[in-house]
Amino acid sequence: MSSGRVGVKLRFLLLISGEDRVAPDLGRVMSARKIFQGSLVALLTPFQKDGSLDLPGLTRHIEWQIENGTEGLCPAGTTGESPTLTHDEHGLVVAHTVKIAGGRVPVMAGAGSNSTHEAVAMARHARAVGADGLLVVAPYYNKPTQEGLYRHYMTVADATDLPLFVYNVPGRSVVEVLPETLSRLAGHPNIVGVKDATANLVRPLQVKRLTKKKFTQLSGEDGTALAFLASGGDGCISVTANIAPRQCAQMHKAWREGRVAEAMDIQQKLTPVHDALFCESNPGPLKYAAAKLGLCGDTLRLPLHDVSVASGKLIDAALAEAGLTG
C-alpha cells in the first residue's frame, strides 16, 4: 500500500476515534445552497481488471466530466459502488476527487452508512480533505423509524460544518425519509437539501410547502429529472451524466434559461438511455455502457456481476438511439 493510502487510512481511523472536530461555518453552508444545482454526476468508480481501484481512470473521468459541463461531482455513492469499497478506499476516492476537481466544480462526498458512528467518521474525513458537501443516504437494512432517521441525520450534521444533503432512496434503503421528517431536519443549519430518488413528483411540492427555509431539492432519478425541475427542483444527481455529461448539462442550462422545448427534446432523446441503465442493478449497466464508449473498464465487484447478453444488446440499442455511439 502506498504512503498516500496509508495516510488516508490513518486519518480515517483518527476521525472514527472522534478527533479533528471543527467549528461551524455558516457562510460555507449558505454558499453551498447556491453551488449545488443543475447537472451533477453520481460518479462511477473505475476498477482495474483485478478489482483494484483505477485512480488514473477516475482522473480521466473527472476531467472529462468537467470539460463537458458537469456542475458538481458526487463520489463514493451507490453508483460508485460504495458498499464494496473499504473504508480506506472510500476515503481515497473522496480525497482524489477533491484533488482532481481542484475547486473547478464542487464535490459532494458520499458519507452514508447504516451505522451513525461510521457516517460521522466519513463526514469528518470529507471535511478534512476539502469536500464541499455531504451526501448521506438513509440507513439501509436497519429499518429505523422516522425518529431514528431524524436523530441519525442530526448527529451527522452536528459532526462537521459541511452542508448535508439527505439521500432519500427507499428502493435501496427500504426506509423512506418522509416530508415531515425532512421539514424537521431542515431546522438544522447544516442540513440544506435532499437528493430525492423516490420518483414521486408530488414530493418536491410537499417538501417546499413544509420547509421554512431555502431547501435545495435534487432529483436522484434521471427519467423524471426534468419533471422534477418543473415541480420545483433545483437539479439532478445523475447516473446518465457519467456517459452523457454534455447532454445532461445542456438540458439543465436550457431549463434555467427558459428554453423549455429544447430541454424537453434533450430529455426525450436520453430517455432510452435512462431506462437502459436500470435494466439491471446500477451500476452494472452503466459500467457496461462506459466500457463500450471507452470511458473506463467494465469491472464490477461482487455481488454485482457483468450484465447479461440480452441486457447488453438493450444498452447498445439505447446508446445508438441517443446518438452516443460513433
Side-chain angles (χ1 to χ4, degrees):
M1 182 179 291
S2 70
S3 59
R5 293 191 182 195
V6 171
V8 169
K9 185 172 184 178
L10 290 175
R11 178 176 287 278
F12 192 82
L13 291 173
L14 280 172
L15 295 171
I16 286 178
S17 71
E19 312 245 349
D20 207 22
R21 293 180 181 272
V22 296
D25 183 349
L26 295 183
R28 185 182 185 127
V29 172
M30 293 295 290
S31 66
R33 293 182 184 136
K34 299 176 183 177
I35 62 176
F36 288 114
Q37 63 177 351
S39 184
L40 300 93
V41 63
L43 278 175
L44 55 74
T45 302
F47 296 126
Q48 304 281 2
K49 288 188 180 296
D50 65 0
S52 60
L53 288 180
D54 178 7
L55 291 183
L58 180 58
T59 296
R60 291 191 297 271
H61 194 58
I62 291 169
E63 292 289 357
W64 186 67
Q65 288 291 320
I66 295 173
E67 288 168 8
N68 282 277
T70 294
E71 298 173 87
L73 306 171
C74 302
T78 306
T79 302
E81 297 178 69
S82 59
T84 53
L85 295 178
T86 66
H87 286 162
D88 188 28
E89 289 171 332
H90 187 286
L92 189 58
V93 166
V94 171
H96 189 75
T97 301
V98 171
K99 177 183 176 181
I100 300 305
R104 290 174 291 172
V105 296
V107 175
M108 184 190 298
S113 173
N114 62 344
S115 162
T116 304
H117 184 64
E118 287 189 1
V120 165
M122 290 176 179
R124 288 179 176 153
H125 173 266
R127 174 62 170 81
V129 299
D132 302 287
L134 304 170
L135 182 62
V136 180
V137 70
Y140 40 86
Y141 190 78
N142 300 359
K143 297 182 71 173
T145 63
Q146 293 299 304
E147 184 62 27
L149 289 169
Y150 173 77
R151 295 188 182 204
H152 172 80
Y153 280 110
M154 293 293 281
T155 300
V156 179
D158 281 341
T160 81
D161 65 349
L162 286 181
L164 184 154
F165 288 76
V166 174
Y167 183 13
N168 193 19
V169 56
R172 289 268 187 175
S173 60
V174 183
V175 294
E176 180 173 0
V177 186
L178 296 177
E180 293 78 11
T181 302
L182 283 173
S183 177
R184 291 179 68 196
L185 290 171
H188 194 296
N190 292 350
I191 300 179
V192 301
V194 62
K195 175 185 177 182
D196 187 298
T198 64
N200 179 353
L201 295 177
V202 178
R203 184 53 50 82
L205 300 170
Q206 294 172 327
V207 171
K208 186 174 183 178
R209 179 173 60 84
L210 290 173
T211 52
K212 307 299 183 185
K213 69 179 184 183
K214 168 60 180 172
F215 197 71
T216 301
Q217 299 194 68
L218 303 170
S219 172
E221 215 276 333
D222 280 297
T224 57
L226 190 58
F228 190 90
L229 294 177
S231 294
D234 301 288
C236 178
I237 300 177
S238 169
V239 173
T240 300
N242 277 283
I243 58 170
R246 179 174 54 83
Q247 293 87 339
C248 289
Q250 287 175 340
M251 185 191 78
H252 284 274
K253 187 172 188 291
W255 174 263
R256 286 199 300 267
E257 294 178 355
R259 293 178 279 118
V260 177
E262 182 180 340
M264 291 176 67
D265 182 59
I266 296 170
Q267 178 72 330
Q268 186 66 43
K269 289 177 180 176
L270 288 177
T271 292
V273 179
H274 298 330
D275 292 342
L277 292 184
F278 287 87
C279 65
E280 293 187 19
S281 296
N282 179 48
L286 173 63
K287 282 282 186 76
Y288 174 91
K292 278 284 183 175
L293 297 176
L295 300 173
C296 69
D298 61 358
T299 303
L300 298 157
R301 285 184 174 177
L302 289 171
L304 296 180
H305 190 260
D306 299 344
V307 299
S308 68
V309 173
S311 292
K313 291 179 178 178
L314 189 156
I315 298 163
D316 290 342
L319 294 176
E321 184 178 348
L324 296 179
T325 54

